């Protein structure tokens, strides 16, 4: 069982390496921005590690607006934002940094880092 799984993984990795070589060997003037790729991979790792911070952030944010009901709304929104941040982090890691910033720009009020988000509402 493990031999067949290992063979499949090797085949997929070899196919990915061949496709990458074919893309990079076309001789075009476009190049890969490796610094941006490493930055996106780092962003993915940080977002996977810190995704749980969305729950307390949303709890504090909504509870400061509506004291008791804010706990329920904050917990629900925090759980959703945790899932989004974890997915975005995993996508950044699995795409080796080639994923664009579309998930961060398309979601209204969803920054790249959890500490860039609002923790308390504006007065």
């Amino acid at each position: 069982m493990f031999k067949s799984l290992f063979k499949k993984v090797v085949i997929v990795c070899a196919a990915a390496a061949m496709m990458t070589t074919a893309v990079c060997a076309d001789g075009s003037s476009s190049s890969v921005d490796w610094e941006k790729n490493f930055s996106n991979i780092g962003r993915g790792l940080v977002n996977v590690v810190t995704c749980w911070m969305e729950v307390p952030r949303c709890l504090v944010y909504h509870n400061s607006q509506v004291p008791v009901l804010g706990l329920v709304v904050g917990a629900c929104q925090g759980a959703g934002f945790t899932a989004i941040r974890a997915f975005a982090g995993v996508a950044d890691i699995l795409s080796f940094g080639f994923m664009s910033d579309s998930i961060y720009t398309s979601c209204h009020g969803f920054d790249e880092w959890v500490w860039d988000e609002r923790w308390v509402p504006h007065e």
Side-chain angles (χ1 to χ4, degrees):
M1 177 169 168
F2 290 112
K3 280 187 173 184
S4 66
L5 178 64
F6 182 72
K7 284 182 183 179
K8 290 177 185 177
V9 168
V10 169
I11 290 171
V12 168
C13 290
M18 285 188 291
M19 285 188 284
T20 304
T21 305
V23 168
C24 294
D26 67 350
S28 66
S29 62
S30 66
S31 64
V32 175
D33 187 5
W34 292 109
E35 288 181 17
K36 185 171 194 280
N37 287 5
F38 287 128
S39 174
N40 287 351
I41 292 170
R43 177 183 64 193
L45 288 171
V46 169
N47 279 334
V48 167
V49 171
T50 62
C51 66
W52 63 270
M53 291 176 64
E54 286 290 347
V55 174
R57 183 192 73 79
C58 289
L59 285 172
V60 168
Y61 183 82
H62 288 291
N63 196 38
S64 64
Q65 289 178 330
V66 183
V68 176
L69 188 59
L71 291 174
V72 175
V73 173
C76 293
Q77 186 179 21
F81 277 7
T82 296
I84 293 171
R85 190 165 299 281
F87 173 77
V90 169
D92 275 338
I93 294 168
L94 291 180
S95 69
F96 296 109
F98 286 104
M99 189 179 88
S100 67
D101 298 334
S102 62
I103 195 164
Y104 302 103
T105 57
S106 64
C107 294
H108 176 69
F110 190 74
D111 292 331
E112 288 186 29
W113 313 100
V114 71
W115 50 81
D116 287 342
E117 299 278 354
R118 286 191 208 148
W119 284 71
V120 287
H122 294 288
E123 293 291 324

